[in-house]
Coordinates of all heavy atoms in Angstrom, one line a residue:
A464 N -17.0 10.4 -7.3 CA -17.2 10.4 -5.8 C -18.6 10.9 -5.5 O -19.0 12.0 -6.0 CB -16.2 11.2 -5.1
K465 N -19.4 10.1 -4.9 CA -20.8 10.5 -4.6 C -20.8 11.2 -3.2 O -21.0 10.6 -2.2 CB -21.7 9.2 -4.6 CG -21.6 8.4 -5.9 CD -21.9 9.3 -7.1 CE -21.7 8.6 -8.4 NZ -22.0 9.4 -9.6
G466 N -20.6 12.5 -3.3 CA -20.5 13.3 -2.0 C -19.3 14.2 -2.1 O -19.3 15.3 -1.6
N467 N -18.2 13.7 -2.6 CA -17.0 14.5 -2.9 C -16.5 15.3 -1.6 O -16.5 16.5 -1.6 CB -17.1 15.4 -4.1 CG -15.8 15.9 -4.6 OD1 -14.8 15.2 -4.5 ND2 -15.7 17.0 -5.3
P468 N -16.0 14.7 -0.6 CA -15.7 13.2 -0.5 C -17.0 12.4 -0.2 O -17.9 12.9 0.4 CB -14.7 13.1 0.6 CG -15.0 14.2 1.5 CD -15.5 15.4 0.6
G469 N -16.9 11.2 -0.6 CA -18.0 10.2 -0.4 C -17.6 8.9 -1.0 O -16.5 8.6 -1.2
K470 N -18.6 8.0 -1.2 CA -18.4 6.8 -1.8 C -17.8 7.0 -3.2 O -18.4 7.7 -4.0 CB -19.6 5.9 -1.9 CG -20.1 5.5 -0.5 CD -21.4 4.7 -0.6 CE -21.9 4.3 0.8 NZ -23.2 3.6 0.8
G471 N -16.7 6.3 -3.5 CA -16.0 6.6 -4.7 C -15.9 5.4 -5.7 O -16.1 4.2 -5.2
G472 N -15.7 5.7 -6.9 CA -15.5 4.6 -7.9 C -14.6 5.1 -9.0 O -14.5 6.3 -9.3
K490 N -14.6 0.1 -6.4 CA -15.2 1.1 -5.5 C -14.3 1.3 -4.3 O -13.4 0.5 -3.9 CB -16.5 0.6 -5.0 CG -16.5 -0.7 -4.2 CD -17.9 -1.2 -3.9 CE -17.9 -2.6 -3.2 NZ -19.2 -3.1 -2.9
V491 N -14.4 2.5 -3.7 CA -13.7 2.9 -2.5 C -14.7 3.5 -1.5 O -15.6 4.2 -1.9 CB -12.6 4.0 -2.9 CG1 -11.9 4.5 -1.7 CG2 -11.6 3.4 -3.9
K492 N -14.5 3.2 -0.3 CA -15.4 3.6 0.8 C -15.5 5.1 0.9 O -16.6 5.7 1.0 CB -15.1 3.0 2.1 CG -15.3 1.5 2.2 CD -15.0 1.0 3.6 CE -15.3 -0.5 3.7 NZ -15.0 -1.0 5.1
L493 N -14.4 5.8 0.9 CA -14.4 7.3 1.0 C -13.3 7.9 0.2 O -12.1 7.5 0.3 CB -14.2 7.7 2.5 CG -14.2 9.2 2.8 CD1 -15.6 9.7 2.5 CD2 -13.8 9.4 4.2
A494 N -13.7 8.8 -0.7 CA -12.7 9.4 -1.6 C -13.2 10.7 -2.2 O -14.4 10.9 -2.1 CB -12.3 8.4 -2.7
T495 N -12.3 11.5 -2.8 CA -12.8 12.6 -3.5 C -12.8 12.3 -5.0 O -12.2 11.3 -5.4 CB -11.8 13.8 -3.3 OG1 -10.5 13.5 -3.9 CG2 -11.6 14.2 -1.8
Q498 N -9.3 12.2 -6.4 CA -8.6 10.9 -6.0 C -9.0 9.8 -6.9 O -8.1 8.9 -7.3 CB -8.8 10.6 -4.5 CG -8.1 11.5 -3.6 CD -8.6 11.4 -2.2 OE1 -9.6 10.8 -1.9 NE2 -7.8 11.9 -1.2
M499 N -10.2 9.7 -7.3 CA -10.7 8.6 -8.1 C -10.2 8.8 -9.6 O -10.0 7.8 -10.3 CB -12.2 8.5 -8.1 CG -12.8 8.0 -6.7 SD -12.2 6.3 -6.3 CE -10.7 6.6 -5.4
Y560 N -1.0 9.5 -4.3 CA -1.6 9.2 -5.6 C -0.6 9.6 -6.7 O -0.3 8.9 -7.6 CB -2.9 9.8 -5.8 CG -4.1 9.2 -5.0 CD1 -4.3 9.7 -3.7 CD2 -4.9 8.2 -5.5 CE1 -5.3 9.2 -2.9 CE2 -5.9 7.7 -4.7 CZ -6.1 8.2 -3.5 OH -7.2 7.7 -2.7

Side-chain angles (χ1 to χ4, degrees):
K465 305 307 176 181
N467 201 27
K470 294 179 180 178
K490 60 186 176 182
V491 177
K492 288 184 179 180
L493 182 66
T495 66
Q498 287 171 343
M499 292 296 89
Y560 290 86

